[in-house]
């Protein structure tokens, strides 16, 4: 099996810009001769078949006031092996948006991140619904220093950060041998983070 495989990618896009507002749209194609798939029980990746991916991305930025900025982006894609099967763990869409206020010496922002649904196996019979997380941040500049506080996952979402479906076996819990099942990791719980940054 070769270490490197051939791939080709293309994209086309357009941008519309006025004072205080920017809109961008991009459409892309990506074809590779082999995908790498995560094998959870061995914590490794293995090569699989060739794939075709197609998708688009929309990005917007708006500054309605000198102290206020709003941004957002949305992307969607179609990912398939060359035999038509789904590619496990290939997100079908994702989005993020944020609002930032800058009133010197204060700054504050709210951001939301959404990772959409995706198949867990090739025939699309097992899926995950994705996740949504909201983070907030506030900071104050004091000379060369910036003191900040962040609350990550402020809504304490219990969505799955990532999920897989594969054969696993835990001898102390499963006496009948390996079984196929969903394995996942929950998003990190609500977390407060405080810090200081200095500029030289």
């Amino acid at each position: 099996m070769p270490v490197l495989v051939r791939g080709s990618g293309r994209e086309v896009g357009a941008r519309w810009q006025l004072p205080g507002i920017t809109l961008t749209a991009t459409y892309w194609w990506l074809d590779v001769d082999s995908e790498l798939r995560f094998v959870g029980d061995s914590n490794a990746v293995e090569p699989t078949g060739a794939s075709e991916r197609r998708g688009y991305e929309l990005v917007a930025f708006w500054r309605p006031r000198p102290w206020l900025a709003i941004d957002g982006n949305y992307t969607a894609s179609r990912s398939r092996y060359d035999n038509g099967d789904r590619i496990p763990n290939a997100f079908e869409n994702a989005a993020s948006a944020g609002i930032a206020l800058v009133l010197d010496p204060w700054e504050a922002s709210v951001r939301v991140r959404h990772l959409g649904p995706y198949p867990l196996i090739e025939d699309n019979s097992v899926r995950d619904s994705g996740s949504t997380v909201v983070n907030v941040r506030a900071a104050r500049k004091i000379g060369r220093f910036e003191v900040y506080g962040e609350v990550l996952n402020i809504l304490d979402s219990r969505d799955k950060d990532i999920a897989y479906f594969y054969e696993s076996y835990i001898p102390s819990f499963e006496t009948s041998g390996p079984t196929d099942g969903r394995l996942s990791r929950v998003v990190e719980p609500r977390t407060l983070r405080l810090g200081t940054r200095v500029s030289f």
Side-chain angles (χ1 to χ4, degrees):
M1 181 65 64
V3 176
L4 299 176
V5 298
R6 185 180 298 276
S8 64
R10 304 170 301 283
E11 69 175 44
V12 60
R15 174 176 293 180
W16 183 68
Q17 193 164 7
L18 288 174
I21 185 168
T22 302
L23 301 174
T24 305
T26 306
Y27 191 88
W28 54 269
W29 302 259
L30 179 64
D31 302 326
V32 296
D33 288 348
S34 177
E35 289 274 344
L36 289 177
R37 180 179 180 181
F38 177 68
V39 181
D41 221 25
S42 61
N43 196 31
V45 294
E46 64 181 13
T48 58
S51 68
E52 299 178 350
R53 296 175 185 252
R54 308 286 185 267
Y56 64 88
E57 182 177 18
L58 305 174
V59 180
F61 177 84
W62 181 34
R63 188 182 291 277
R65 296 287 186 272
W67 47 269
L68 176 64
I70 303 171
D71 71 276
N73 68 75
Y74 176 82
T75 182
S77 64
R78 181 184 187 277
S79 304
R80 300 287 190 275
Y81 286 115
D82 59 357
N83 65 0
D85 286 348
R86 303 292 183 102
I87 300 176
N89 297 103
F91 290 103
E92 295 172 356
N93 59 68
S96 68
I99 300 176
L101 293 86
V102 180
L103 296 169
D104 196 46
W106 290 95
E107 297 179 4
S109 64
V110 179
R111 294 205 63 82
V112 57
R113 183 210 69 184
H114 171 72
L115 297 177
Y118 54 95
L120 296 182
I121 57 178
E122 289 85 351
D123 66 7
N124 200 34
S125 61
V126 183
R127 295 173 57 81
D128 190 82
S129 59
S131 64
T132 301
V133 176
V134 179
N135 302 322
V136 299
R137 185 180 190 274
R140 190 181 193 281
K141 293 181 180 178
I142 307 172
R144 295 188 296 124
F145 294 88
E146 180 187 72
V147 180
Y148 66 88
E150 298 174 330
V151 182
L152 309 178
N153 189 16
I154 191 171
L155 301 181
D156 203 26
S157 168
R158 304 303 291 169
D159 290 342
K160 303 299 187 291
D161 199 28
I162 191 66
Y164 299 99
F165 190 91
Y166 55 81
E167 184 181 79
S168 63
Y169 178 54
I170 304 176
S172 58
F173 290 94
E174 300 167 320
T175 58
S176 59
T179 58
D180 291 332
R182 180 194 300 257
L183 292 94
S184 60
R185 182 182 67 193
V186 177
V187 171
E188 292 290 330
R190 183 187 298 117
T191 302
L192 173 63
R193 185 162 63 188
L194 303 173
T196 303
R197 186 177 299 164
V198 59
S199 301
F200 294 98

